[in-house]
Amino acid sequence: MKDLESQKLTWKQYLVVASLLFGLFFGAGNLIFPLHLGQLAGSNWGTATVGFLITGVLLPLLSVLAVAITRSEGVYDIGKPLGAGFAVVFMVLIHATIGPLFGTPRTATVSFTVGVAPFIPKNMQTPALLIFSALFFVAAFAFSYHENNILSNVGKVLNPLFLALLFLVFVVAFVNPLGNPQTAAVTGAYKHSALVNGFLEGYNTMDALAGLAFGVTVVTAVRGMGQKDAKSVSKVVAKSGVVAVAAIGLIYLLLILMGAMSLGKFNVSDNGGVAFNQIVNYYGGMFGQALLAFLLTVTCLTTAVGLVAAFAQDFHKHFPKVSYHAWLALSCLASFLTANFGLDQIIAWSTPMLMFLYPLSMVLIILSVCSPLFKKDGVVYFFVILFTVVPALGDMVVAFPSVVSQSSFGLTVASWRNALPLANMGLSWLVPALVGAVIGLAVHFIRGQKVAQVEDELE
């Protein structure tokens, strides 16, 4: 009898894992942000797309590869070279941001605001959101209650349904286009900085953070398919990850094009949710709106299932006195409460956290992927993070709503942060991070040479 640990998966099984990854990554934000980017960029959609794909596709792929290369099981392991204390704090911050504070509540508020709210009278929308979000997170709790069923629920049921509906939207939009994307008007910010603005817009997807957090969910699912040893698990995760993010990249491209084409009939909207609403109503009327409501609810639910499950799995692993189901219930309850503050408040307060966590996550992902080159030496991690964290904190303060950013404290932080290279682009951390990498690698190789000299002398 063949050892389970040596069994090879069929291509269909790889596709199921890829479908799981796709479903976990692709939420409502992945629909509305690229669509809005297309409207903002207009005829410069191509350049903006390149920037968006770096943070929206390449980084999530690298995060999956980081989990595979380092044979990690979650975000904790990615931060572990800097010590257990840093790893725990980083894990909590990531899960809090993409979980109950911002990311998970957004899955309910976007699907309600864009899909359901148009059917509800304005004076009834607050209680309607309360009821909708309660039912939404009860469903998320039920789908993620049994860890071993997450692969089946998301990869085999919810995600294929979502893809079929989205394909229908694309067919209608491209057979009868609203306008020519090559002649669409360009908004001011995208006339000269389309690449950088597209890059920063990719932060909103939260997928680079999610890729680290979903590691534990995906690894659990792959092990449930008979892949027990770390090498086999890493191989499956890496191959499936490439397929999943390639599909996401294609959908982003089509959504950005659809947003640029929509300018032939509509003005630039306040957000991508409004744009999606306008496009679907133009083609399908109330039937189209009902289809959109269902589409958004399905894709948001797949992401919510992954987020609450990853939160519960990671926290149960590191704080085992509380059961998986208790952490799961806590995540769903906290997300339900936050969701009822409304979409605008969630987006306004999530942006600063993303401006802080994305730089840290990006450098940790790149360090993890490149770690075999410097033997995962903690000193390299230390200098890169040290030089990244201070400007990232400055970017966070500047991005807060005016109650913080325009206070005396916020203005003081902004004054020194603005003196850093690329600060006007929101990338004040980039040059310091590169300096930290040079110093860290220099220390690593100097120490290595000294150790080699000592060993030679002893011989």
Side-chain angles (χ1 to χ4, degrees):
M1 183 177 173
K2 217 175 180 181
D3 192 339
L4 279 175
E5 294 185 359
S6 64
Q7 281 187 352
K8 290 184 177 180
L9 298 186
T10 65
W11 66 270
K12 288 184 179 180
Q13 288 175 307
Y14 274 108
L15 285 179
V16 169
V17 178
S19 180
L20 169 66
L21 275 163
F22 180 97
L24 296 178
F25 274 129
F26 207 93
N30 305 76
L31 280 174
I32 65 175
F33 290 119
L35 194 67
H36 194 225
L37 175 66
Q39 288 194 325
L40 294 171
S43 59
N44 285 343
W45 64 269
T47 307
T49 298
V50 173
F52 189 85
L53 292 180
I54 292 172
T55 45
V57 173
L58 180 60
L59 274 173
L61 174 59
L62 289 177
S63 71
V64 172
L65 293 178
V67 169
I69 289 170
T70 59
R71 300 184 183 180
S72 303
E73 294 191 0
V75 64
Y76 174 87
D77 290 340
I78 296 296
K80 200 173 180 182
L82 284 158
F86 175 88
V88 168
V89 171
F90 185 65
M91 181 196 77
V92 170
L93 286 174
I94 292 288
H95 275 300
T97 300
I98 66 170
L101 288 183
F102 304 115
T104 310
R106 194 175 74 180
T107 60
T109 55
V110 169
S111 52
F112 175 82
T113 303
V114 180
V116 178
F119 296 103
I120 310 294
K122 286 192 175 181
N123 63 331
M124 293 297 294
Q125 288 193 3
T126 299
L129 174 60
L130 186 74
I131 295 169
F132 177 86
S133 57
L135 295 173
F136 183 91
F137 285 112
V138 166
F141 180 84
F143 273 117
S144 50
Y145 187 83
H146 296 292
E147 293 182 70
N148 293 335
N149 288 346
I150 293 172
L151 177 65
S152 176
N153 291 334
V154 175
K156 296 181 180 178
V157 181
L158 295 177
N159 194 53
L161 179 61
F162 159 73
L163 285 173
L165 292 172
L166 185 61
F167 177 75
L168 178 61
V169 172
F170 284 142
V171 169
V172 173
F174 284 92
V175 168
N176 184 23
L178 295 174
N180 184 351
Q182 303 303 328
T183 58
V186 182
T187 58
Y190 283 81
K191 286 181 179 177
H192 304 292
S193 303
L195 181 69
V196 173
N197 280 292
F199 180 91
L200 294 176
E201 188 71 15
Y203 283 14
N204 288 314
T205 66
M206 298 191 188
D207 281 348
L209 311 185
L212 299 177
F214 288 150
V216 63
T217 304
V218 177
V219 167
T220 300
V222 172
R223 283 179 174 167
M225 300 171 79
Q227 304 300 298
K228 302 300 181 182
D229 63 288
K231 186 177 180 180
S232 298
V233 170
S234 298
K235 183 180 177 182
V236 172
V237 171
K239 285 187 175 180
S240 303
V242 171
V243 175
V245 298
I248 291 171
L250 176 61
I251 291 173
Y252 282 160
L253 175 62
L254 296 176
L255 285 169
I256 292 169
L257 264 172
M258 198 163 74
M261 289 191 301
S262 72
L263 295 176
K265 292 289 183 183
F266 306 109
N267 295 323
V268 177
S269 59
D270 292 335
N271 58 64
V274 174
F276 220 131
N277 234 317
Q278 291 173 331
I279 293 168
V280 171
N281 271 286
Y282 177 85
Y283 287 117
M286 291 303 289
F287 171 78
Q289 183 61 53
L291 176 66
L292 176 63
F294 186 67
L295 174 72
L296 284 173
T297 302
V298 168
T299 184
C300 286
L301 187 59
T302 62
T303 304
V305 167
L307 288 170
V308 296
F311 180 96
Q313 287 168 330
D314 255 357
F315 274 72
H316 173 59
K317 180 179 178 180
H318 297 287
F319 307 102
K321 290 185 178 180
V322 180
S323 70
Y324 166 80
H325 294 126
W327 283 120
L328 187 67
L330 178 64
S331 177
C332 290
L333 177 60
S335 299
F336 160 71
L337 294 173
T338 306
N340 283 276
F341 282 99
L343 181 59
D344 290 340
Q345 289 296 318
I346 292 171
I347 291 176
W349 289 95
S350 65
T351 300
M353 284 302 297
L354 294 176
M355 293 299 288
F356 172 65
L357 284 177
Y358 245 86
L360 296 180
S361 300
M362 280 190 273
V363 296
L364 280 173
I365 288 168
I366 293 169
L367 286 170
S368 297
V369 171
C370 299
S371 60
L373 300 176
F374 53 87
K375 299 178 181 178
K376 212 173 181 178
D377 189 349
V379 73
V380 180
Y381 282 79
F382 172 78
F383 279 105
V384 175
I385 290 296
L386 179 65
F387 278 71
T388 303
V389 71
V390 175
L393 283 169
D395 285 345
M396 178 180 71
V397 172
V398 171
F400 269 120
S402 58
V403 65
V404 176
S405 61
Q406 296 304 310
S407 66
S408 57
F409 168 73
L411 294 173
T412 300
V413 171
S415 65
W416 64 257
R417 174 258 186 192
N418 290 339
L420 293 170
L422 306 179
N424 62 325
M425 297 182 177
L427 300 172
S428 65
W429 57 272
L430 183 57
V431 173
L434 292 173
V435 172
V438 170
I439 295 173
L441 288 170
V443 172
H444 165 73
F445 287 115
I446 290 170
R447 290 199 316 181
Q449 288 177 348
K450 288 182 177 180
V451 170
Q453 287 176 356
V454 170
E455 290 176 349
D456 288 341
E457 290 172 2
L458 290 175
E459 289 176 1

